């Protein structure tokens, strides 16, 4: 029920963490789809069969123009779309013993960082992106999503109200 608020809070945190690189006015679409939709999108756009938890679709030219936007006036810069697969996100949260809100927040942050040009194609890029995600989530009161669950089966990722 709180999906919209969770997504908006996570997206704002990711954008705020990238200021001043991110222009003041940006537009991002965040969609919650089913596994069938994500499987279709994954196949059509990435050539990969099967659903995935999150996909990002940067707007044409947005990545290359971010640093030039600064305090530009006018309509918001359309960064792109982030799409989450509800069934996969729910299953992963349960398997990783994380709250659904914490896991969804992580995936929204991850997707927004992709829209901002971050990637994890190499080990150094992956390390940098994971570190940034962890810092953004910590600012939201969410534990390290890459941490190993503690003995007794309790995960470190929690959401503070």
């Amino acid at each position: 029920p709180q999906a919209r608020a969770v997504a908006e809070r996570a997206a704002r945190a990711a954008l705020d963490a990238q200021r001043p690189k991110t222009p003041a006015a940006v537009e991002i679409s965040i969609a919650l789809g089913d596994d069938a939709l994500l499987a279709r999108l994954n196949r059509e756009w990435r050539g990969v069969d099967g659903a995935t938890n999150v996909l990002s679709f940067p707007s044409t030219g947005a990545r290359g123009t971010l640093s030039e936007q600064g305090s530009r006036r006018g309509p918001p810069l359309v960064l792109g779309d982030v799409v989450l697969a509800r069934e996969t996100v729910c299953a992963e949260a349960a398997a990783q013993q994380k709250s659904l809100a914490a896991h969804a927040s992580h995936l929204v942050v991850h997707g927004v960082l992709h829209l901002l040009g971050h990637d994890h194609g190499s080990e150094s890029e992956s390390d940098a992106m994971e570190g940034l995600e962890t810092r953004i989530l910590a600012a939201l009161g969410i534990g390290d999503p890459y941490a190993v669950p503690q003995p007794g089966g309790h995960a470190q990722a929690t959401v503070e109200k």
Side-chain angles (χ1 to χ4, degrees), residues 32-45 48-55 57 83-89:
L32 186 61
D34 61 13
D35 281 2
L37 173 65
L38 271 282
R40 191 182 89 233
L41 292 172
N42 208 15
R43 185 175 45 257
E44 289 176 10
W45 292 95
V48 176
D49 283 330
T52 186
N53 53 15
V54 63
L55 289 171
F57 298 95
V83 186
L84 283 76
R86 187 179 188 286
E87 295 99 336
T88 297
V89 174

Side-chain angles (χ1 to χ4, degrees), residues 16-159:
D16 288 346
Q18 293 298 279
R19 304 249 187 246
K21 294 181 202 173
T22 307
V26 298
E27 182 177 315
I28 298 171
S29 294
I30 301 173
L32 186 61
D34 61 13
D35 281 2
L37 173 65
L38 271 282
R40 191 182 89 233
L41 292 172
N42 208 15
R43 185 175 45 257
E44 289 176 10
W45 292 95
R46 298 180 63 227
V48 176
D49 283 330
T52 186
N53 53 15
V54 63
L55 289 171
S56 295
F57 298 95
S59 294
T60 305
R63 285 187 188 193
T65 60
L66 280 176
S67 60
E68 302 164 12
Q69 298 300 316
S71 60
R72 96 196 216 337
R73 298 204 186 272
L77 175 65
V78 178
L79 290 182
D81 307 316
V82 176
V83 186
L84 283 76
R86 187 179 188 286
E87 295 99 336
T88 297
V89 174
C90 289
E92 287 176 348
Q96 297 170 20
Q97 300 177 335
K98 297 177 180 177
S99 75
L100 183 54
H103 190 50
S105 293
H106 174 212
L107 295 174
V108 169
V109 166
H110 184 89
V112 170
L113 290 179
H114 275 303
L115 296 181
L116 293 170
H118 293 273
D119 205 356
H120 44 79
S122 70
E123 188 175 339
S124 64
E125 288 175 326
S126 183
D127 289 346
M129 190 168 175
E130 287 178 12
L132 183 54
E133 290 171 15
T134 300
R135 287 190 299 279
I136 293 167
L137 292 169
L140 293 173
I142 299 171
D144 183 349
Y146 300 103
V148 178
Q150 297 297 305
H154 298 289
Q156 291 181 356
T158 59
V159 177

